[in-house]
Amino acid sequence: MTAASSTHPALRIRKAAVLGAGVMGAQIAAHLTNAGVETVLFDLPAKEGPKSGIALKAIANLAKLSPAPLADKNLAAAIIPANYDEDMAHLKDVDLVIEAIAERMDWKLDLYKKIAPHLSKTAILASNTSGLSINGLAEALPEEMRHRFTGVHFFNPPRYMHLVELIPTKLTDPAVIAGLEAFLVTTVGKGVVIAKDTPNFIGNRIGVFSMLSAMYHTDQFKLGFDTVDALTGPALGRPKSATYRTADVVGLDTMAHVIKTMADTLPDDPWHQYFKAPAWLQGLIDQGALGQKTGAGFYKKAGKDIVVLDPAAKDYRPSEQKPSNEVAAILAIKDPTEKFGKLRASSDPQAQFLWASFRDLFHYTAYHLADIADTARDVDFAIRWGYGWKLGPFETWQAAGWQQIAGWINEDIAAGEAMSKAPLPAWVTDGRKGVHGKDGSYSASANADKPRSQHPVYKRQLFPDPLIGEKFDQGTTVWENDGVRLWTLGDDGVGILSFKTKMNTVNDFVLDGVQHAIKLAEEKLKAVVIWQTGEPFSAGADLKGALGLLKEGKIADFEKMVENFQRTSMAIKYSLVPVVSAVRGMAFGGGCEFQMHSARTVAALESYIGLVEAGVGLLPAGGGLHELAVRAAKANPGDPFEELKKVFETVAMAKVSASAFEAKQLGLLRDSDVVVFNAYELLYVAKQVASALAESGYRPPLPARAIPVAGDVGTATFKASLANLQAGYFASEHDVNIATRIADTLCGGVIERGSTVDEEWLLALERKHFVELAQTEKTQARIAHTMTTGKPLRN
């Protein structure tokens, strides 16, 4: 890292331009807009209609895509549509330009020449190419711009894929790279890997090779496409889309293009003869079956069923294949050494397919490490973050016994069974146990282990994404029970409270633990952050325990549990030290209620927050409805009903936010709550927020003793709207019963509109309705159904 970069913690990027409103360009513009960067989206001038019609259409299309590129659909209006004929003036005040047009060197070079005169002297230009030479592109730029040019390769879809590859040229100023890295990590929320300027960089070079190898061995072992997907998905810790479904999603034409890039640009690669689209892939493309975007590829929908291509019959057949019993049993083995040993020894073609695919992936990755990446860490992160694998190729190999696997690869090369005769590099068999160790990760080009990046932005990641065998300081335990651990990290006086239950659900140990931890914090600490060591924040109440009490008819014990839940929420709200909830992933039911009662919530962008109790036939009774009624009264003391209208539907329909921004719209997060884009920075930011609250002389809110409520008139108004839903068969009788009780609690019960009540009154209403609903047959059926199937029951 240069001295210059340490003085640039992050680039100050106020405005950006994205060139090219195709699938990637439009979604990159959407995600920059999510991150609060004013963004101009350029495309060619339209032949008819408004000149910026192409960009306008792309922006309108963002609302239709799933998963949604925009974290809040209203943000579409903030993207500025533009065209190259009329809008070049926009470029004079942009700080960052990302070019995302088609993969044609000549087109890109023409565009650079066109825009260069309009850019400021400090603007950074980056190409989102997935495979063209960055140094080759740089040559077309005016001399004074070359040090501000780099490759920046987002993965699709840009909002959700963590990886961005940053590819400097020989001339890129290191301070530009350091500043851009900080911006991408913190502001845009990405995992950055610095790649060398080689074809397809790291992610696609290794990821596409892995798919090519799987396709080659599909033929060798005569397996169906659906069988291969059953073998190469979650069973290996990879996404459900596995191999062939992934190809369908990416687009078979895109897939073929990337393979052709490898064939054209890597003539000396020892695996070169395999860089070609298999006959059946080319056959599909020739028919215009390009995957998901055309409705057919390796798979297609036939009515409600999914059918898969049978290349021998040249037709589709029902898709149902699973791994053979023998291979399913091998894949279930926990110990990787034993698992790989059994895969290699088995004569089952599916096991042989898996061994061959892994062997060739390991062989290829080790052979090319020195040319494509600085360290093995960069390769593993590129594949994990860009392809969604739980472990990268080197981590998988290391876990399975490095030298043992290396010996087997060498045996297969000698026997002519490997795809290539290229020898394994000497470093592989120098007695090492792997490539990741306490001194860092192996760099083949430097022949040394290198520690993680020292860039200051990574000081914000107190618990970065760990590589195999990596251990981080687990802090000092202040107190723990079977439900929670209260601990500190460093000496800043901020306690961290983490749950110990599965999915961080809430049971009696958690409830008692949170209350006790807050008492201790009031004595010994200045603030508390509720943060889980892994997602989700909390899946809500432990339903199993609750259902048990109901089945045994222990209603008094059940009511005590509900009371204890409310007591915990109130302990959070009225704690003398600020309690900050750090949310990422799901925060359902009780988890949502805990964060609602915190002094502040710091939520990762990808937070899925909801009061989901209506789905299991209940209503929120951990203080959630009481808190919504209190907030409504505060926001509009004259007519709280106006505010309640916004949240009633959220709760009655058990809505879950699709982002932290949406949670604010649904009324489940407050405007003052903080949204963080990089989930690995969540704890750091939450501790800063908690500290700042403590340092500013934090006091909890005063107990609310005169809360104006909407009363029976409010409840009657909600009931009228429910009657319409029931008449149209959109809601069952039980749905209406639940929703009416939600309305009654939010509106303060059967009292006159405008009456005032205290918090205990609202909490008692919550408890009463919760306990009465829990005793109904239909609610108990809903709870049992959700516990066994994971899906809601409509009855």
Side-chain angles (χ1 to χ4, degrees):
M1 207 182 81
T2 62
S5 62
S6 57
T7 57
H8 291 284
L11 290 169
R12 299 290 173 212
I13 291 179
R14 187 180 298 280
K15 188 172 176 183
V18 176
L19 312 179
V23 178
M24 280 304 277
Q27 292 197 60
I28 292 169
H31 195 57
L32 288 172
T33 306
N34 288 337
V37 178
E38 186 184 14
T39 303
V40 189
L41 180 61
F42 276 90
D43 211 303
L44 296 166
K47 303 258 194 300
E48 313 163 353
K51 268 276 172 89
S52 298
I54 298 175
L56 281 162
K57 197 171 153 199
I59 295 166
N61 191 46
L62 290 170
K64 301 184 193 129
L65 294 176
S66 172
L70 290 164
D72 165 0
K73 43 187 181 302
N74 300 321
L75 286 170
I79 304 173
I80 303 165
N83 68 83
Y84 302 119
D85 274 7
E86 304 172 323
D87 299 312
M88 298 300 251
H90 269 300
L91 292 173
K92 73 177 187 307
D93 57 353
V94 302
D95 305 303
L96 172 66
V97 178
I98 297 176
E99 168 271 305
I101 67 166
E103 294 285 270
R104 286 262 310 259
M105 187 73 105
D106 52 342
W107 292 359
K108 289 182 192 281
L109 299 182
D110 280 350
L111 184 56
Y112 296 170
K113 286 195 183 98
K114 195 170 185 173
I115 63 164
H118 301 276
L119 293 175
S120 76
K121 294 277 171 274
T122 53
I124 291 170
L125 175 61
S127 175
N128 181 59
T129 176
S130 55
L132 294 175
S133 162
I134 302 296
N135 282 293
L137 290 169
E139 281 163 22
L141 292 170
E143 197 76 34
E144 73 275 8
M145 276 182 70
R146 291 181 190 178
H147 67 284
R148 292 182 275 123
F149 176 71
T150 180
V152 57
H153 180 218
F154 285 82
F155 274 62
N156 193 15
R159 173 181 159 192
Y160 301 93
M161 295 313 284
H162 193 55
L163 178 65
V164 171
E165 291 174 317
L166 206 47
I167 312 98
T169 70
K170 296 192 280 277
L171 301 171
T172 313
D173 178 349
V176 165
I177 293 297
L180 203 48
E181 183 170 4
F183 168 75
L184 288 165
V185 170
T186 292
T187 308
V188 191
K190 295 299 164 200
V192 171
V193 166
I194 309 275
K196 296 187 181 182
D197 187 14
T198 53
N200 289 350
F201 313 125
I202 304 174
N204 282 340
R205 179 77 176 270
I206 301 301
V208 172
F209 176 79
S210 172
M211 290 175 78
L212 274 173
S213 151
M215 288 176 171
Y216 171 73
H217 292 300
T218 301
D219 268 358
Q220 299 298 104
F221 296 102
K222 305 195 170 17
L223 300 178
F225 300 133
D226 49 347
T227 304
V228 170
D229 278 355
L231 294 169
T232 58
L236 299 183
R238 296 181 191 172
K240 286 202 294 281
S241 55
T243 303
Y244 291 102
R245 269 178 208 279
T246 298
D248 273 354
V249 171
V250 168
L252 305 190
D253 50 344
T254 308
M255 183 82 200
H257 174 79
V258 177
I259 297 170
K260 186 177 180 321
T261 305
M262 286 175 82
D264 294 348
T265 52
L266 297 165
D268 303 327
D269 192 300
W271 283 261
H272 185 267
Q273 70 193 80
Y274 302 101
F275 299 162
K276 56 177 188 284
W280 26 260
L281 176 59
Q282 199 49 56
L284 285 167
I285 294 169
D286 295 343
Q287 288 165 33
L290 306 179
Q292 203 170 294
K293 59 188 168 191
T294 58
F298 291 109
Y299 294 90
K300 72 173 183 183
K301 260 189 142 163
K304 283 202 169 156
D305 301 319
I306 302 279
V307 290
V308 64
L309 181 69
D310 178 344
K314 296 209 160 100
D315 200 3
Y316 289 85
R317 60 168 173 77
S319 161
E320 74 271 287
Q321 275 184 292
K322 298 182 192 61
S324 65
N325 292 341
E326 183 187 335
V327 171
I330 295 175
L331 290 176
I333 295 169
K334 288 274 182 280
D335 174 19
T337 319
E338 186 189 344
K339 185 187 309 193
F340 271 86
K342 292 217 158 129
L343 282 177
R344 186 164 194 268
S346 168
S347 56
D348 183 312
Q350 294 183 15
Q352 293 177 330
F353 162 85
L354 282 170
W355 162 251
S357 300
F358 272 115
R359 172 201 64 215
D360 293 332
L361 170 66
F362 296 157
H363 185 187
Y364 190 81
T365 310
Y367 184 87
H368 286 297
L369 173 60
D371 349 317
I372 65 171
D374 186 36
T375 67
R377 181 191 307 108
D378 298 327
V379 173
D380 281 342
F381 278 152
I383 292 297
R384 282 210 268 164
W385 297 341
Y387 279 76
W389 295 13
K390 280 208 172 68
L391 290 179
F394 284 128
E395 290 179 290
T396 307
W397 180 352
Q398 184 165 327
W402 186 270
Q403 290 302 335
Q404 169 82 298
I405 297 273
W408 289 339
I409 296 173
N410 273 327
E411 283 172 30
D412 285 9
I413 295 170
E417 285 172 17
M419 278 167 87
S420 163
K421 289 192 171 52
L424 276 176
W427 61 264
V428 171
T429 47
D430 64 5
R432 65 177 52 252
K433 289 198 169 74
V435 286
H436 304 299
K438 60 180 191 321
D439 298 324
S441 297
Y442 184 66
S443 166
S445 47
N447 190 27
D449 288 338
K450 290 193 177 180
R452 278 177 175 260
S453 164
Q454 293 304 298
H455 191 306
V457 75
Y458 297 112
K459 293 200 170 56
R460 299 168 58 87
Q461 300 189 12
L462 304 179
F463 291 89
D465 197 355
L467 285 161
I468 187 167
E470 250 186 326
K471 291 275 183 283
F472 301 111
D473 177 4
Q474 297 303 301
T476 309
T477 302
V478 177
W479 176 82
E480 64 186 319
N481 69 354
D482 287 347
V484 305
R485 173 182 178 230
L486 176 66
W487 51 291
T488 53
L489 194 63
D491 55 3
D492 56 6
V494 178
I496 302 165
L497 187 58
S498 305
F499 300 176
K500 292 157 77 169
T501 47
K502 192 178 175 187
M503 299 284 283
N504 300 317
T505 51
V506 180
N507 60 15
D508 287 336
F509 293 116
V510 172
L511 295 171
D512 296 343
V514 171
Q515 291 173 51
H516 187 70
I518 286 174
K519 278 201 190 82
L520 278 176
E522 289 176 337
E523 291 165 26
K524 302 181 174 178
L525 299 164
K526 70 177 190 189
V528 173
V529 170
I530 303 177
W531 177 80
Q532 314 299 8
T533 53
E535 287 186 24
F537 178 71
S538 172
D542 172 18
L543 291 174
K544 200 161 129 205
L547 194 62
L549 291 175
L550 290 171
K551 286 265 183 277
E552 291 165 31
K554 296 184 174 168
I555 302 306
D557 288 349
F558 181 75
E559 189 157 359
K560 274 203 194 90
M561 188 195 82
V562 182
E563 225 171 311
N564 200 21
F565 221 119
Q566 293 182 334
R567 208 177 308 125
T568 308
S569 289
M570 299 312 273
I572 292 172
K573 181 171 182 171
Y574 290 111
S575 161
L576 288 170
V577 295
V579 178
V580 171
S581 289
V583 175
R584 56 182 167 168
M586 295 180 297
F588 290 170
C592 175
E593 289 173 302
F594 285 171
Q595 68 80 24
M596 286 173 74
H597 286 84
S598 308
R600 194 78 90 251
T601 296
V602 177
L605 178 71
E606 300 308 333
S607 293
Y608 312 116
I609 302 174
L611 292 169
V612 296
E613 288 82 353
V616 289
L618 293 165
L619 50 75
L625 294 178
H626 130 277
E627 183 62 20
L628 288 172
V630 171
R631 287 182 191 179
K634 218 175 186 170
N636 192 342
D639 186 6
F641 185 76
E642 276 309 304
E643 293 298 314
L644 292 174
K645 280 199 303 211
K646 299 175 196 166
V647 291
F648 171 66
E649 195 177 303
T650 299
V651 186
M653 293 176 72
K655 284 186 179 175
V656 174
S657 74
S659 72
F661 290 161
E662 204 180 350
K664 288 191 174 192
Q665 289 171 354
L666 294 175
L668 301 171
L669 285 180
R670 296 157 289 204
D671 283 343
S672 58
D673 289 331
V674 179
V675 179
V676 170
F677 271 60
N678 195 322
Y680 295 107
E681 295 185 348
L682 183 67
L683 180 58
Y684 171 85
V685 176
K687 287 184 77 179
Q688 297 284 337
V689 168
S691 257
L693 285 170
E695 294 298 336
S696 60
Y698 176 80
R699 293 291 303 173
L702 291 168
R705 294 210 167 81
I707 304 158
V709 292
D712 47 12
V713 178
T715 307
T717 314
F718 282 134
K719 271 182 86 166
S721 65
L722 291 170
N724 296 336
L725 282 176
Q726 196 178 352
Y729 300 106
F730 292 112
S732 69
E733 192 182 337
H734 195 52
D735 290 332
V736 171
N737 180 18
I738 299 160
T740 304
R741 291 168 180 271
I742 290 169
D744 185 68
T745 311
L746 286 171
C747 296
V750 187
I751 50 175
E752 272 186 42
R753 180 183 189 159
S755 308
T756 59
V757 300
D758 62 10
E759 291 188 76
E760 190 38 61
W761 172 276
L762 292 168
L763 291 169
L765 264 177
E766 249 186 26
R767 281 199 304 277
K768 168 177 123 37
H769 284 309
F770 187 85
V771 173
E772 285 172 6
L773 274 173
Q775 292 176 73
T776 64
E777 213 173 292
K778 286 190 167 167
T779 285
Q780 292 190 16
R782 283 190 183 193
I783 296 174
H785 186 269
T786 302
M787 277 169 49
T788 47
T789 66
K791 294 187 172 73
L793 169 72
R794 292 296 300 279
N795 58 2

